[in-house]
């Protein structure tokens, strides 16, 4: 999802794959953590986790 938006905003694939890069070093890990937090929160609200 982030990769698609970044490309729509004009970034090239080479820029996204460059390391160190803002995308790979900061945005991608943060987005993955937020996703996992959302899954955990949803599971807790449905009573599947404590």
């Amino acid at each position: 999802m982030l990769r698609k938006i970044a490309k729509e905003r004009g970034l090239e694939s080479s820029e996204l794959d460059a390391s160190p890069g803002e995308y790979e070093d900061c945005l991608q890990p943060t987005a993955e953590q937020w996703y996992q937090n959302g899954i955990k929160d949803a599971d807790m609200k449905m009573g599947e986790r404590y």
Side-chain angles (χ1 to χ4, degrees):
M1 180 172 79
L2 289 175
R3 189 174 197 78
K4 179 182 173 190
I5 293 170
K7 290 188 90 169
E8 287 174 358
R9 301 284 167 109
L11 291 172
E12 300 293 327
S13 292
S14 60
E15 293 176 290
L16 295 175
D17 295 333
S19 189
E22 186 71 19
Y23 173 75
E24 288 184 348
D25 295 341
C26 298
L27 294 176
Q28 190 173 25
T30 299
E32 289 172 5
Q33 184 60 51
W34 287 354
Y35 176 81
Q36 291 302 323
N37 290 347
I39 294 294
K40 181 180 176 184
D41 186 49
D43 285 349
M44 290 175 67
K45 288 181 178 175
M46 293 189 313
E48 295 181 16
R49 290 190 197 188
Y50 299 101

